[in-house]
Amino acid sequence: MVEDNYTFPSEFILLGFTNREDLQVTCFVLFLAIYVVTLIGNLGVIILIRIDSCLHTPMYFFLSHLSLLDVCYSSTIIPQTLLNFLVEKKVISFVRCATQLFSFATCATTECYMLAAMAYDRYMAICNPLLYSVVMSQRFCVGMLAGAYLAGVISSIIHTVSIFHFPFCRSKRINHFFCDGLPLLALSCSDTHVNEAIVSAVVGFNMLSTIVFILVSYSSVLSTVLRMRSAAGCHKAFSTCAPHLVSIALYYGSSLFMYLRPGSRHSLERDKVVSVLYSIALPMLNPLIYSLRNTDMKNAMRKAKGRVLSSLSIHGSGPGERRGLPLRGKEG
């Protein structure tokens, strides 16, 4: 009988963001709106960078992949969450749960290294402008990008295997709105201290190593900016770095709060709220953060808008108008 309880369940039950029936529809509408805005904003950034030659630089190359990660981030979590708001039985299969955790961990880890690559790009552009075009070549940028994705995949494999290789003998109810590591470990039959230590070590290494790299890069940037004699140069440097710093502060602040706290201080209910910030809200905010005060992005949007309006005006006009000829009606 004891052995029967030590199983790998075929499915889990997600308790969701809230169990209050009166909030299900409200939450569904809110999360759906966030998802739509996230997709439009991030796909818009990707398309804009793709079609505008002025944005074919290393900084926007990394930004386009950051937007791609945010789309994957949201698409890993929100569709299942939306479904759970509408159904009474919030079930997710074992395989789908493991896939969701793997995809989520891959995106999260890759984003850490992507933000570090963007910080290095700003360091080279501001501190070593004469070497910038030589060092930040297309080959080097693709290599940094491949390294970020590889680190994400390797870390997520360790993360997922450390959690799912144990049987689950307790309740199949996951106290979260998606398959995250800590709520899953709470269901394990065995002593999970070693696994928690492995997950914390992997997450800690990825986050702390990239944070140190980012801090060193921006310390050099700040030192260089403070030595600039041109007010215009200082303003331009700060305007290009500020959105990145805001994104870093939001992402790392919420992630560090989630994963690098002592186990005794974890509250799964509070963790749900924090998870919304870095896994759902931040992917929606990133396009706004990087576009609102970015002159290059604003100019690209104006040009794209002009091309769209020009195309619509051409298609909306008649054959005679397109040839520059007046249209006449039939004479009696």
Side-chain angles (χ1 to χ4, degrees), residues 267-280:
S267 166
L268 292 178
E269 294 299 326
R270 183 171 53 191
D271 288 352
K272 289 182 189 179
V273 178
V274 180
S275 295
V276 170
L277 174 61
Y278 74 86
S279 64
I280 294 178

Side-chain angles (χ1 to χ4, degrees), residues 17-155:
F17 186 72
T18 178
N19 56 6
R20 288 181 55 180
E21 293 295 331
D22 57 318
L23 293 179
Q24 297 298 312
V25 175
T26 303
C27 288
F28 174 83
V29 173
L30 178 61
F31 277 57
L32 178 61
I34 290 173
Y35 187 48
V36 171
V37 173
T38 299
L39 291 180
I40 292 174
N42 285 287
L43 292 176
V45 168
I46 293 171
I47 294 170
L48 202 62
I49 292 172
R50 180 72 177 175
I51 64 175
D52 196 305
S53 59
C54 294
L55 301 180
H56 293 175
T57 64
M59 181 174 77
Y60 295 108
F61 171 75
F62 291 124
L63 179 57
S64 66
H65 282 274
L66 183 67
S67 293
L68 177 62
L69 284 173
D70 285 339
V71 169
C72 295
Y73 232 140
S74 299
S75 299
T76 297
I77 297 172
I78 297 183
Q80 180 69 45
T81 304
L82 290 174
L83 177 63
N84 290 342
F85 283 132
L86 300 178
V87 298
E88 184 176 350
K89 193 175 181 182
K90 302 170 173 56
V91 174
I92 184 170
S93 68
F94 181 91
V95 173
R96 189 169 182 179
C97 186
T99 303
Q100 188 181 60
L101 177 63
F102 175 81
S103 302
F104 171 75
T106 299
C107 292
T109 306
T110 304
E111 186 153 337
C112 288
Y113 288 94
M114 197 72 68
L115 291 171
M118 294 172 73
Y120 183 73
D121 172 75
R122 291 300 83 206
Y123 162 76
M124 288 300 303
I126 295 171
C127 300
N128 297 287
L130 298 178
L131 296 175
Y132 180 77
S133 58
V134 177
V135 174
M136 300 300 292
S137 62
Q138 183 179 7
R139 183 176 180 180
F140 183 72
C141 290
V142 171
M144 291 179 72
L145 181 69
Y149 280 110
L150 182 62
V153 170
I154 292 173
S155 296

